[in-house]
Amino acid sequence: MPSSYPVAQIRDAERQALAEGRRLMPLAGAAAARFVAERIQPGTAVLALAGPGNNGGDALVAATLLRAMGHDARVLLPAGAQGLPADAARAHAGWTAAGGATLSALEPGFVPGLVIDGLFGIGLNRPLGADWQALVDTVNGWGVPVLALDVPSGVDADTGEALGRPIRARWTLSFIARARGLDLSGSGAGAIGESHVDTLGVAMPAAGGEA
């Protein structure tokens, strides 16, 4: 299994790549879209949960690409687009330009065939707020496959501890490197599912904080 790293070390590699002019969000979104497309049948409804940060931007890019492939992709952006970081705002603009509709709340009676969890990434270090927890509980209640981007929302990426009741992923796709918490037996370990990594072409040190 590849090494796992502290969040701070992954962030350093990310900043370095961005400083070198690498555009990581399009790469991450494309990786997520490929991952999903390989695992769904035509006509499967995919719901991308886009949070208020760059993790949400990755989900928006993935949804845009899945829509371009002909899949029934939908986006839920509970916090709205106003406060999105610059890259995520561009991803939202791309989704809108492609004709995608952005939901602010779940549609009554709608249950997708697969969920992309882009609510919170490796930066989450506090318990999920009440509204976010209610959304996660609803998704978990559906019992459908979930692809978590970087880390399941509600899991501390450094410690592996649950920050409330995490989203239960069938797969977790880490970008750049696997966060250390995904290899630890914390209270969030049962939410991770199969762990996959796409480095996006970003190199990490040979020796990391492997658990």
Side-chain angles (χ1 to χ4, degrees):
M1 178 177 287
S3 297
S4 58
Y5 296 81
V7 168
Q9 204 167 352
I10 298 173
R11 290 293 196 208
D12 285 344
E14 180 183 45
R15 281 191 290 269
Q16 179 62 33
L18 292 170
E20 292 169 357
R22 301 286 302 280
R23 298 184 64 229
L24 300 180
M25 190 172 290
L27 296 174
R34 286 194 302 270
F35 193 97
V36 170
E38 290 169 358
R39 290 164 173 80
I40 59 174
Q41 299 297 319
T44 301
V46 177
L47 179 65
L49 306 177
N54 284 327
N55 201 244
D58 295 342
L60 281 158
V61 172
T64 304
L65 294 173
L66 286 166
R67 191 176 192 280
M69 295 175 195
H71 295 293
D72 177 10
R74 312 181 192 192
V75 167
L76 176 68
L77 189 65
Q82 295 76 14
L84 288 172
D87 283 350
R90 280 191 288 272
H92 178 259
W95 166 252
T96 301
T102 305
L103 308 172
S104 58
L106 292 174
E107 299 171 291
F110 169 67
V111 177
L114 184 143
V115 170
I116 298 174
D117 168 28
L119 291 178
F120 298 103
I122 60 176
L124 185 69
N125 55 12
R126 63 188 184 281
L128 293 169
D131 290 345
W132 297 110
Q133 185 66 75
L135 172 58
V136 167
D137 288 344
T138 296
V139 173
N140 285 340
W142 288 338
V144 302
V146 174
L147 169 65
L149 305 184
D150 274 326
V151 63
S153 294
V155 173
D156 186 303
D158 259 336
T159 67
E161 294 300 321
L163 300 169
R165 296 179 297 279
I167 203 161
R168 292 195 295 269
R170 178 171 295 184
W171 316 279
T172 294
L173 178 59
S174 299
F175 300 126
I176 301 180
R178 190 193 330 273
R180 178 175 58 188
L182 299 185
D183 283 346
L184 301 178
S185 55
S187 56
I192 294 164
E194 292 180 9
S195 183
H196 300 260
V197 178
D198 191 308
T199 66
L200 310 180
V202 177
M204 293 290 291
E210 190 167 9

